[in-house]
Amino acid sequence: MGLNVAVIGLGSMGYGMAQVILRAGHRVWGRDINREAEARFQASGGETDPLAEALLDSVVVVVLDAAQTRDVLFGPDGLAGRLRQGAVVLGCATVAPDFARETEARCEEAGVLYLDAPISGGSAKAASGDLSVMASGSPAARAAAGPVLEAVAETVFDLGESAGAGSAMKAVNQMLAGVHVAAMAEALTFGMTQGISPARFFEIIPRCAGTSWMIENRGPSMVAGDYTPLSRIDIWPKDLGIVLDIARSARFAAPVTAAALQQFLVAAAQGLGGENDTAVAKVYAQNAGLAVPGARDD
Amino acid sequence: MGLNVAVIGLGSMGYGMAQVILRAGHRVWGRDINREAEARFQASGGETDPLAEALLDSVVVVVLDAAQTRDVLFGPDGLAGRLRQGAVVLGCATVAPDFARETEARCEEAGVLYLDAPISGGSAKAASGDLSVMASGSPAARAAAGPVLEAVAETVFDLGESAGAGSAMKAVNQMLAGVHVAAMAEALTFGMTQGISPARFFEIIPRCAGTSWMIENRGPSMVAGDYTPLSRIDIWPKDLGIVLDIARSARFAAPVTAAALQQFLVAAAQGLGGENDTAVAKVYAQNAGLAVPGARDD
């Protein structure tokens, strides 16, 4: 029998996840500050009646960050206090491990299970139910979250029996992913100064030792000059900021990550925050007096 | 009929290349400052008689850098002046594009063809004849180098009809590869501060968006704590130095690459230059008071 599931946050990840949970046979309430996204999800088969918190089995929180997660669960209209005992909350935003542990403790006080469950894979894999989930939490939370994880994930990495480990693993992945996006932009534009076109770059590098998942994933849109946001520039000041906050707490020096963050901050400061993260190449291009594909002339 | 080929430099790349050229049916002279490597190559089928330069069809220069390439070709015992007219030199070291252009011009003066032919793929692919070659040079040089390229390469990228373009592409690849090695070390040790073991890191990251060719290639030896040099730490101060020299000439700011280079310089300064490049993780570990696998206790 299907469960009652709420998905909070219908952005590029949450919308796809809500859809695949729906297709797995559950009743799904989708909630977002964007009313259009809510209406679109309802039109595609989501529940239309107001949310009845006490009936929910699982709440999937796929919002931007820790502040939004806290607000959804413990704010003035917070869900945590109104869920039934034993319901499970899946925290999917990228947050600091300490925040995940704090959220687990507050959920426990409220009689609710919490799974630290950050996700990786991008919007295409969210839409096809093929995400990677870096999960940690109590066996009870893990078991209660099982049906939702089965719907949204190709792979669930079980990282430990308390919250925090999942978010730590996610931070490590984001550190690499963010550095790789910046390095791609740096190498692409450096190559342009040496007469290597973006098309040539993305033809050759994927077959050499310098390749990365990011290069293979972002290449086609970069060559086409398409900066439609799938993973926005704004993600990186946030996620690399979390990484470097954790690193600072641990007295860990991360100079490569720190350098990459600066480039995303420049991109954000230049008004590129809403573009795809590949737009960090525009920062390099502008610094060097180059034009990357799709850059405006103005 | 087989050609007469000299391979200058029987290191981790050159030795394998000399072997596959031999297996392709050519006569191969292998030369190295390391007499043991020469003797080993002779024992495996290489020519034993003294090198007769005037009989050579192709010379493959697989030495460390530009200075050694210059010495091999134009030094006191330089080959370039003693080769027959129309013989071809393949320059496989990672060098600046300007050096490749200068070498092409000097070879032309000597009546010798020159192919800018830096290589990528590592020692395993050198030994199996599956390298990527980033080639540029005159059609005559490209044609004359054909049989050697066929033996050593899985893929030849033809980048243009004069030297320099191949080396530019190689610099772009090294920029990425070097940054990815440093980023891997940074993320691996950062993860250790958060309780993520190296084994867990290399189990999970290859299946996430943060992966890279370097992570997939270097993972097993890092987990095993094996720093046997395949690609030495010392390569990176050299290659990233070339990258940043070219970038400076082009007035191109490359902050992520610059940060990565600093970490390799620290590793070299700490006496790790002869270890595998993964030993850059020891710099991070030492900074953070951690022990990576295989690190000595002293």
Side-chain angles (χ1 to χ4, degrees):
Chain A
M1 200 189 87
L3 301 175
N4 294 325
V5 181
V7 176
I8 316 296
L10 298 172
S12 62
M13 300 299 286
Y15 196 90
M17 293 168 73
Q19 291 274 6
V20 296
I21 299 168
L22 201 57
R23 287 205 297 273
H26 306 292
R27 297 176 70 195
V28 184
W29 283 267
R31 238 179 64 182
D32 200 284
I33 45 172
N34 176 350
R35 297 296 164 205
E36 267 181 63
E38 283 193 354
R40 191 157 51 98
F41 180 66
Q42 286 171 7
S44 78
E47 298 296 313
T48 51
D49 290 339
L51 192 63
E53 286 90 351
L55 297 177
L56 288 173
D57 299 297
S58 306
V59 176
V60 188
V61 185
V62 206
V63 294
L64 184 65
D65 57 13
Q68 290 186 2
T69 301
R70 186 183 283 124
D71 194 56
V72 163
L73 294 175
F74 310 112
D77 296 317
L79 280 172
R82 292 185 282 156
L83 296 173
R84 67 166 174 78
Q85 299 290 299
V88 65
V89 172
L90 290 84
C92 298
T94 299
V95 301
D98 278 350
F99 176 81
R101 285 186 277 269
E102 173 201 316
T103 306
E104 179 183 53
R106 292 185 70 176
C107 281
E108 194 174 342
E109 281 169 31
V112 171
L113 299 167
Y114 182 75
L115 192 73
D116 184 20
I119 51 183
S120 176
S123 53
K125 291 197 166 183
S128 63
D130 293 320
L131 291 173
S132 292
V133 179
M134 302 172 194
S136 73
S138 68
R142 177 65 178 81
V148 165
L149 292 175
E150 205 168 294
V152 302
E154 180 180 52
T155 310
V156 179
F157 297 110
D158 286 304
L159 288 153
E161 300 201 349
S162 59
S167 285
M169 193 70 224
K170 178 69 192 289
V172 170
N173 183 63
Q174 294 305 90
M175 185 187 218
L176 285 161
V179 169
H180 290 173
V181 172
M184 169 177 68
E186 189 163 305
L188 176 80
T189 46
F190 169 68
M192 289 170 66
T193 70
Q194 302 302 307
I196 297 162
S197 71
R200 208 74 165 123
F201 176 93
F202 285 110
E203 175 200 345
I204 294 175
I205 293 294
R207 299 164 74 181
C208 294
T211 195
S212 67
W213 187 93
M214 281 294 171
I215 285 175
E216 289 162 36
N217 181 266
R218 303 291 200 264
S221 67
M222 287 211 81
V223 172
D226 179 2
Y227 298 94
T228 306
L230 297 170
S231 173
R232 291 153 45 104
I233 284 282
D234 275 342
I235 295 292
W236 295 113
K238 177 180 79 69
D239 284 9
L240 295 184
I242 289 170
V243 167
L244 292 178
D245 282 349
I246 303 169
R248 191 176 58 232
S249 295
R251 295 289 176 261
F252 181 86
V256 178
T257 307
L261 171 57
Q262 304 310 306
Q263 299 304 97
F264 289 113
L265 288 174
V266 174
Q270 293 185 346
L272 302 171
E275 296 198 13
N276 206 32
D277 56 14
T278 49
V280 72
K282 294 182 183 179
V283 173
Y284 286 97
Q286 187 178 349
N287 285 347
L290 302 165
V292 291
R296 290 166 307 181
D297 291 328
D298 59 348
Chain B
M1 202 188 86
L3 302 176
N4 294 326
V5 180
V7 176
I8 316 296
L10 298 172
S12 63
M13 301 297 287
Y15 195 91
M17 293 167 74
Q19 291 275 5
V20 296
I21 299 168
L22 202 57
R23 286 206 297 274
H26 307 292
R27 297 176 70 195
V28 184
W29 283 266
R31 238 178 66 181
D32 200 281
I33 45 172
N34 176 349
R35 298 293 164 206
E36 267 183 64
E38 282 193 355
R40 189 157 51 97
F41 181 66
Q42 286 170 8
S44 79
E47 298 298 312
T48 51
D49 291 340
L51 191 65
E53 287 90 349
L55 296 176
L56 288 172
D57 299 298
S58 306
V59 177
V60 187
V61 185
V62 207
V63 293
L64 184 67
D65 57 12
Q68 290 186 4
T69 301
R70 185 182 284 124
D71 194 55
V72 163
L73 294 175
F74 310 112
D77 296 316
L79 280 172
R82 291 186 282 157
L83 296 172
R84 69 165 174 78
Q85 301 288 301
V88 64
V89 172
L90 290 83
C92 297
T94 299
V95 301
D98 278 349
F99 176 80
R101 285 185 277 269
E102 172 201 317
T103 306
E104 178 183 53
R106 291 186 71 177
C107 281
E108 194 175 341
E109 280 169 30
V112 171
L113 299 167
Y114 182 75
L115 192 73
D116 184 20
I119 52 183
S120 177
S123 54
K125 291 199 167 183
S128 63
D130 293 321
L131 292 172
S132 293
V133 179
M134 302 171 193
S136 72
S138 68
R142 177 66 178 79
V148 166
L149 293 174
E150 203 168 297
V152 302
E154 180 179 51
T155 310
V156 179
F157 297 110
D158 286 303
L159 289 153
E161 300 202 349
S162 59
S167 286
M169 193 70 224
K170 179 68 191 291
V172 169
N173 183 64
Q174 293 307 88
M175 184 187 218
L176 286 160
V179 168
H180 291 173
V181 171
M184 168 177 69
E186 188 162 305
L188 175 80
T189 45
F190 169 68
M192 289 170 67
T193 70
Q194 302 303 307
I196 297 161
S197 71
R200 209 73 166 122
F201 176 94
F202 286 110
E203 174 199 344
I204 294 176
I205 293 295
R207 298 164 75 181
C208 294
T211 194
S212 67
W213 187 95
M214 281 294 170
I215 285 175
E216 289 162 37
N217 181 267
R218 303 290 201 265
S221 67
M222 287 211 82
V223 172
D226 179 1
Y227 298 94
T228 306
L230 296 169
S231 173
R232 292 152 45 103
I233 284 282
D234 276 341
I235 294 292
W236 294 112
K238 178 182 78 71
D239 284 9
L240 296 183
I242 289 171
V243 167
L244 292 178
D245 282 350
I246 303 169
R248 192 177 58 232
S249 294
R251 295 289 177 262
F252 181 87
V256 177
T257 307
L261 172 56
Q262 303 310 305
Q263 301 302 98
F264 289 112
L265 288 175
V266 174
Q270 294 186 345
L272 303 171
E275 295 198 14
N276 206 32
D277 56 13
T278 49
V280 71
K282 295 182 183 178
V283 173
Y284 286 98
Q286 186 177 350
N287 285 347
L290 302 165
V292 292
R296 291 166 306 181
D297 290 328
D298 59 349

